[in-house]
């Protein structure tokens, strides 16, 4: 069974669960994540919104909605979501990088770099190097040098965020090259791998 069929089956399962547990916010988050993986971006946002309506305490934890906002081209909403996320997860480089990416799409990479929020203690070396890249303090080669080929997770994250970096710089050919490598060569069991898949699909690169 291919990935699309598996995801459709998973979507049907969450539809069944929600039909019984209509007020369970976690169920809507899970279904929203499946919708995202299927490139149903608007549907994913709708599910995350319902989860938030059912439990407003979830708002700073809805990083998945921030990603959906990015691909829905709702960049101001995305930047706001990631700013809120940082209030509870201040050491996660990814939150501030995605905020950067949203701001770059609105105002350009130079403005995004000026507003990059400080993050110091992400335990992942590759993400610390990614932060340095976006801050203008290291090269893409420095990011891609982190980890060995056996460390697929570090390699995936390096290639993913280098691809996104080049997209923010409007260097589409390089963005495409690194995003395709992240997706094809470093597959991992991680929501962010699906981000690479959706990125290619929505850009017409697959």
């Amino acid at each position: 069974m291919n990935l699309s069929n598996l995801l459709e089956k998973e979507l049907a399962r969450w539809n069944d669960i929600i039909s019984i547990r209509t007020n369970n916010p976690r169920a809507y988050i899970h279904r929203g994540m499946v919708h995202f993986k299927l490139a149903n971006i608007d549907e994913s946002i709708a599910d995350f919104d319902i989860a938030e309506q059912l439990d407003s305490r979830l708002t700073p934890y809805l990083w998945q909605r921030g990603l959906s906002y990015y691909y829905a081209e709702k960049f101001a909403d995305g930047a706001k979501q990631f700013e809120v996320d940082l209030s509870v997860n201040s050491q996660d480089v990814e939150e501030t990088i995605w905020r950067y990416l949203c701001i770059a799409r609105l105002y350009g990479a130079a403005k995004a770099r000026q507003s990059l929020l400080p993050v110091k203690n992400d335990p992942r070396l590759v993400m610390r190097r990614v932060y340095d890249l976006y801050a203008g303090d290291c090269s893409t080669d420095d990011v891609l040098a982190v980890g060995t080929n056996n460390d697929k997770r570090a390699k995936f994250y390096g290639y993913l965020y280098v691809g996104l970096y080049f997209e923010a710089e409007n260097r589409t050919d390089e963005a495409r090259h690194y995003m395709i490598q992240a997706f094809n060569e470093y597959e991992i069991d991680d929501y962010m791998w699906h981000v690479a898949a959706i990125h290619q699909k929505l850009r017409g690169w697959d």
Side-chain angles (χ1 to χ4, degrees):
M1 188 178 291
N2 65 32
L3 178 60
S4 180
N5 289 338
L6 286 170
L7 290 171
E8 290 289 356
K9 188 175 181 179
E10 189 176 353
L11 179 62
R13 183 171 72 88
W14 283 109
N15 286 337
D16 289 343
I17 291 170
I18 287 171
S19 71
I20 299 167
R21 299 158 62 186
T22 56
N23 293 319
N24 185 317
R26 298 288 177 183
Y28 287 98
I29 291 173
H30 283 292
R31 190 174 70 175
M33 292 169 70
V34 178
H35 271 308
F36 178 84
K37 294 174 185 179
L38 285 164
N40 302 332
I41 305 301
D42 290 342
E43 291 86 346
S44 73
I45 293 171
D47 273 345
F48 299 139
D49 287 349
I50 293 170
E52 180 183 51
Q53 290 160 14
L54 290 169
D55 186 353
S56 62
R57 294 171 298 180
L58 291 172
T59 300
Y61 301 97
L62 288 173
W63 56 269
Q64 301 96 329
R65 184 170 63 178
L67 296 173
S68 293
Y69 280 146
Y70 182 83
Y71 289 103
E73 299 190 356
K74 296 181 177 181
F75 302 119
D77 290 332
K80 182 179 178 181
Q81 176 69 61
F82 292 118
E83 283 179 28
V84 173
D85 295 350
L86 283 160
S87 70
V88 296
N89 196 11
S90 62
Q91 306 310 322
D92 191 326
V93 166
E94 290 183 271
E95 307 284 11
T96 193
I97 292 301
W98 280 98
R99 177 180 175 272
Y100 173 112
L101 292 166
C102 289
I103 293 171
R105 295 296 297 272
L106 286 168
Y107 306 115
K111 181 72 172 179
R113 187 167 294 114
Q114 291 172 7
S115 66
L116 187 64
L117 298 173
V119 178
K120 296 181 180 178
N121 298 315
D122 194 302
R124 299 166 294 176
L125 176 59
V126 65
M127 292 313 302
R128 296 202 298 273
R129 287 291 174 271
V130 165
Y131 184 90
D132 291 341
L133 171 66
Y134 282 69
D137 295 332
C138 79
S139 71
T140 55
D141 286 343
D142 294 326
V143 175
L144 298 175
V146 176
T148 65
N149 286 330
N150 292 328
D151 186 358
K152 288 178 69 175
R153 182 168 295 274
K155 285 297 185 186
F156 168 77
Y157 275 89
Y159 278 85
L160 172 71
Y161 282 104
V162 165
L164 289 164
Y165 171 82
F166 280 124
E167 179 164 274
E169 299 284 334
N170 294 315
R171 294 166 63 176
T172 304
D173 288 344
E174 289 116 313
R176 181 178 184 274
H177 171 76
Y178 289 106
M179 190 64 67
I180 288 174
Q181 279 197 272
F183 174 73
N184 286 330
E185 297 185 23
Y186 301 106
E187 181 178 351
I188 57 174
D189 183 16
D190 190 295
Y191 194 73
M192 298 308 293
W193 181 81
H194 291 278
V195 169
I198 292 308
H199 195 102
Q200 291 183 90
K201 185 172 185 176
L202 296 179
R203 301 292 186 265
W205 297 347
D206 58 353

